[in-house]
Amino acid sequence: MNKVITYSLFTDFDIALFKAGKHYRLYEKMGAHFAEVDGVKGVYFAVWAPTAHSVSVVGDFNYWTQGEHLLQVRWDSSGIWEGFIPNLDQGTLYKYKIESNNNGLVTEKADPFAFYCEKAPLTASVAWNLDYQWKDSNWMQSRKQHNDLTKPYSVYEVHLGSWKRKGSGNDFLSYIDFATDLVTYVLEMGFTHVEFMPVMEYPYDPSWGYQLVGYFAPTSRFGKPQDFMFLVDKLHQAGIGVILDWVPSHFPEDSHGLGFFDGSHLYEHPDRRKGYHPDWKSLVFNYGRNEVRSFLISNAFFWLQQYHIDGLRVDAVASMLYLDYSRKEGEWEANIFGGNENLETISFLREFNEAVYGNFEGIQTIAEESTSFPMVSKPTFVGGLGFGMKWMMGWMHDTLDYFQKDTIYRKFHQNDLTFSMQYAFSENFMLPLSHDEVVYGKKSIANRMPGDEWQKFANLRLLYGYMFAHPGTKLLFMGGEFGQSEEWNFQQSLDWHLLQYDYHKGIQNVIKDLNFLYKNQPALHEKQFEYDGFEWINYSDHDNAVISFMRHGLHPKNSLIIVCNFTPVIRHNYRIGLPNKMEIKEIFNSDALQYGGSNVLNTNELKTEKQAYDGRDFSVSLTLPPLAVVVFEIK
């Protein structure tokens, strides 16, 4: 006898939206939901499995027995199976046992909409409610101002499993631990936002979370769903925004995951040329299928609504956009116009951005897109993809290549450093120094710097100063803020003991002060995406390996003057041209003693002279410290 009671949360309108790919809050209907039917409490289950012959809910309540609790398929051809099982409580373990119409194949799957999962390597879903009393109303009401593109946006990228570990046992910190330790640290360092590498449930630690099975569940490695809410809440109460890495690009083939879910290619594209990623050996979503689009956009809505997330950084966008991405000739098929663009993906990304920006005030979406695909961060109504920002991968690669060169050769490569300004305002760019740059033999950022120990750290201070002075928002991977020496190892804590050494402490002080400078100087953020927010003074002094430029805010008096010396030679009486008569004062110098520098400073206010230079009528003579960036304000 079937022990499932006929019951539904779906209306006809829900089904129509689902079939059309326009139901963006499926998590309110799909999955496991606590309900009361005829005075009896229990759990309502709903799962999409259109190729199924039968669907059983199996779990710890029925000894994982198939056929004991059979769901019923809806009459409306939606492919949704549903039903109510009485007397199930919070914490019930369950899966779906799906017998397919395809040759009777049987799959056993975790719930794609589960709010909580067993701790890996266990794979069951957990019936769970998301009740929580939020205390971040001040943040949520003012979020639009914090997240505006004219405001400072300095992001600390964090991998929760390795930011810090507990004692000698190397155990994970919990979400509750992070709510104290991480919040305090980020506040002290002056970052405006935290970006978490994927927190959604994933089976395999070495994937760093980028191959997901539980799209609607924060990983149980660090605690319960409400514990993660508490962490977000505490960050918001401290005035810190929260960005999540979001992975709509691919998913793993693990047997309990989304792949071949009901005995058919349900979530993945059935054509292997579009549905399999050769680099990551993973499956690619079928972006042309309406129900899959609803699943993915509902997932974005879920984190923004249920967890008060402020932004989504969308992973691997380039792999989504191109049909020939990482594929050889003959391994891909052109679109209907003969091109290599994935038209279904482009349509999906536009719909995703329109939906989230249209429903959540003050959020941002950020594309990790490594090609020159046009108008990624332009509005959809002008033909763009609709993202708020795009990672500036070209800046990252060119700048790191330049900094790795011995200083004696830099004068031959200055164009590599200045090239980014030719396209800096074609998109709303975020400048990343991310986790991908400190793994797989690339070395840590600090150990890429040339020279002896003093020069290595001077170069690192200069790199960070140049990054914060360059137009665009900023992202720095954890450990970079104190000059982590070794490559990132996801299996252990960062090397916090390095902070006992002056050079590493000096790097930390530099980042603190750069964050302060970025937040408190309008010239560095008010026009960070606009052409007229930047002005070269001189980019062609190759022989001295020096560049100089101005950053402008909305008010003329908010302009800053930035000069970078990329050699270890002190430049006395170094002259730069300025547009008019003015007095300037040094407000940041990466060579200062508290940063580990040699303390070559411009201690007095400097006045321009009526002496033409750099194509301007006035000029001023400066002292440039070795391997340093100097910032001046106009008095």
Side-chain angles (χ1 to χ4, degrees), residues 199-489:
V199 301
M200 301 81 176
E201 193 59 76
Y202 55 97
Y204 187 51
D205 281 17
S207 78
W208 310 334
Y210 287 100
Q211 297 214 12
L212 309 178
V213 293
Y215 271 77
F216 291 81
T219 177
S220 54
R221 286 166 175 81
F222 314 116
K224 298 178 174 63
Q226 282 80 0
D227 298 339
F228 183 60
M229 292 177 182
F230 181 74
L231 170 57
V232 175
D233 206 351
K234 285 296 186 182
L235 284 161
H236 282 172
Q237 291 173 49
I240 299 162
V242 181
I243 304 165
L244 294 188
D245 274 10
W246 187 54
V247 191
S249 47
H250 65 124
F251 56 92
E253 291 189 283
D254 293 63
S255 60
H256 66 293
L258 296 178
F260 214 58
F261 188 80
D262 63 349
S264 73
H265 298 291
L266 193 62
Y267 289 92
E268 69 271 25
H269 200 287
D271 185 341
R272 197 78 166 171
R273 293 172 297 180
K274 295 181 180 178
Y276 181 75
H277 199 295
D279 283 355
W280 303 318
K281 297 179 174 55
S282 56
L283 302 175
V284 179
F285 284 103
N286 184 355
Y287 304 107
R289 188 164 193 171
N290 287 342
E291 297 89 344
V292 172
R293 292 164 81 107
S294 276
F295 172 81
L296 288 171
I297 296 176
S298 289
N299 186 242
F301 272 47
F302 173 78
W303 293 101
L304 297 172
Q305 177 176 306
Q306 298 294 329
Y307 285 87
H308 290 199
I309 298 305
D310 306 298
L312 297 172
R313 175 266 195 188
V314 183
D315 183 62
V317 172
S319 76
M320 300 169 66
L321 288 172
Y322 295 102
L323 295 166
D324 60 345
Y325 186 90
S326 284
R327 297 180 188 276
K328 300 174 184 175
E329 189 174 350
E331 294 178 349
W332 63 282
E333 183 180 42
N335 63 36
I336 58 173
F337 302 110
N340 65 343
E341 301 88 1
N342 189 325
L343 302 180
E344 292 172 343
T345 295
I346 292 168
S347 168
F348 163 72
L349 290 173
R350 286 174 175 157
E351 182 180 352
F352 151 71
N353 278 312
E354 288 171 355
V356 296
Y357 277 109
N359 283 273
F360 298 94
E361 187 176 44
I363 61 96
Q364 292 290 349
T365 64
I366 306 160
E368 188 224 358
E369 203 287 306
S370 55
T371 74
S372 57
F373 192 93
M375 299 199 296
V376 171
S377 59
K378 301 301 180 186
T380 58
F381 61 77
V382 298
L385 292 183
F387 285 93
M389 286 177 264
K390 170 182 170 172
W391 274 20
M392 198 176 191
M393 310 290 273
W395 171 87
M396 179 179 70
H397 293 308
D398 290 348
T399 301
L400 289 176
D401 283 349
Y402 177 87
F403 267 88
Q404 287 177 112
K405 291 178 170 63
D406 191 290
T407 55
I408 198 172
Y409 301 116
R410 286 180 177 174
K411 64 182 180 180
F412 304 112
H413 299 277
Q414 193 145 311
N415 287 341
D416 295 343
L417 193 72
T418 59
F419 176 68
S420 61
M421 291 304 176
Q422 295 190 27
Y423 62 94
F425 304 103
S426 61
E427 301 274 5
N428 297 336
F429 279 121
M430 172 177 281
L431 279 57
L433 290 174
S434 72
H435 65 273
D436 279 327
E437 298 312 304
V438 292
V439 289
Y440 299 142
K442 294 180 182 177
K443 301 182 180 179
S444 67
I445 301 296
N447 269 344
R448 292 200 201 185
M449 302 296 107
D452 58 23
E453 185 180 39
W454 188 91
Q455 289 196 17
K456 279 182 181 291
F457 282 91
N459 270 302
L460 188 59
R461 297 190 297 269
L462 172 56
L463 167 62
Y464 290 152
Y466 172 62
M467 174 185 182
F468 274 78
H470 191 289
T473 55
K474 329 296 175 187
L475 177 139
L476 184 62
F477 182 57
M478 63 182 199
E481 81 280 9
F482 60 82
Q484 170 100 359
S485 299
E486 300 301 319
E487 281 193 344
W488 170 50
N489 183 347

Side-chain angles (χ1 to χ4, degrees), residues 554-567:
L554 293 171
H555 194 284
K557 288 187 177 180
N558 286 336
S559 295
L560 296 178
I561 297 156
I562 295 102
V563 188
C564 303
N565 178 10
F566 295 99
T567 70

